[in-house]
Amino acid sequence: MTYSPAHAKELLEKAGYPNGFEITLWSLPVKRPYNPNGKQIAEMIQSDWEKIGLKVNIATYEWAEYIKRAVAGEHDALMIGWTADFGDPDNFFSSLTCAAVKGSYNFSRWCYQPYDDLILQARAITDQTARSELYKKALNIIREQAPDLFLAHSTIYDVIDNNVKGYTIDPLGKHNFSNVEL
């Protein structure tokens, strides 16, 4: 996908919004590895969206209130994210299923049965090549329909002394010292 404000304006016009519209964007109120400054990111999004004719109001709430209201679906658009807690593609894809709308993790409230069918098929098989193909198809649906916009992914760094041997960085952010030697 290429950056094109002109194309975005055309799409808004086709959708029946030739003069844009007003929207409230919720700014993430807490620092996260994937978003250390929610207010600044919200202002950057606001600037980009205003270039295509949207009037963007930024709002935020204390964290518990933010989550409570987001689960209730009170937002127009919001920032949210997470750090994976297990190393399987389903950890990322499951948050956009129809079941996750009911379970409150699908904050976009997007439900698309062809996508769900792919995810359910991928969950039911162990052949990694076949699973990968199903998840690639699901990813193409996400790209086409854009129920969520992915902005960033955090990188975790651990600093260790040269005398430390046997330590490996865990992709899920955990620390395992069982093989560590000094």
Side-chain angles (χ1 to χ4, degrees):
M1 200 176 291
T2 58
Y3 175 76
S4 174
H7 183 62
K9 284 181 185 182
E10 288 174 22
L11 291 173
L12 280 170
E13 190 167 332
K14 275 186 184 175
Y17 299 99
N19 301 314
F21 56 87
E22 189 169 338
I23 187 169
T24 300
L25 171 63
W26 290 9
S27 167
L28 195 64
V30 293
K31 291 181 180 188
R32 292 290 192 236
Y34 52 81
N35 187 342
N37 190 334
K39 183 176 185 286
Q40 184 179 30
I41 299 295
E43 289 168 348
M44 293 167 68
I45 293 169
Q46 178 185 47
S47 174
D48 284 346
W49 286 358
E50 286 181 345
K51 290 174 187 167
I52 63 169
L54 302 185
K55 176 168 181 356
V56 181
N57 303 302
I58 297 174
T60 195
Y61 302 94
E62 177 275 325
W63 183 237
E65 186 71 13
Y66 188 94
I67 294 299
K68 183 179 104 184
R69 289 174 176 240
V71 167
E74 296 179 19
H75 55 283
D76 293 336
L78 80 153
M79 293 184 215
I80 199 74
W82 79 97
T83 299
D85 52 359
F86 65 93
D88 188 88
D90 196 68
N91 188 246
F92 296 92
F93 287 95
S94 64
S95 66
L96 285 174
T97 61
C98 298
V101 171
K102 298 174 194 116
S104 76
Y105 296 108
N106 184 338
F107 293 106
S108 64
R109 303 275 195 261
W110 180 71
C111 179
Y112 186 61
Q113 198 58 52
Y115 174 86
D116 269 31
D117 293 343
L118 291 169
I119 301 307
L120 291 172
Q121 288 175 44
R123 286 179 181 167
I125 60 175
T126 57
D127 180 292
Q128 292 303 313
T129 303
R131 286 183 88 225
S132 292
E133 289 306 311
L134 292 167
Y135 284 123
K136 284 178 187 176
K137 289 177 183 178
L139 185 57
N140 285 333
I141 291 173
I142 291 171
R143 285 183 182 137
E144 290 168 6
Q145 297 204 9
D148 283 355
L149 301 175
F150 305 100
L151 298 179
H153 187 281
S154 59
T155 301
I156 307 297
Y157 296 98
D158 282 336
V159 178
I160 59 172
D161 188 273
N162 286 337
N163 295 326
V164 176
K165 305 293 181 221
Y167 178 78
T168 56
I169 295 175
D170 184 287
L172 303 176
K174 297 175 175 67
H175 298 284
N176 180 352
F177 298 105
S178 63
N179 296 317
V180 173
E181 295 178 15
L182 295 176

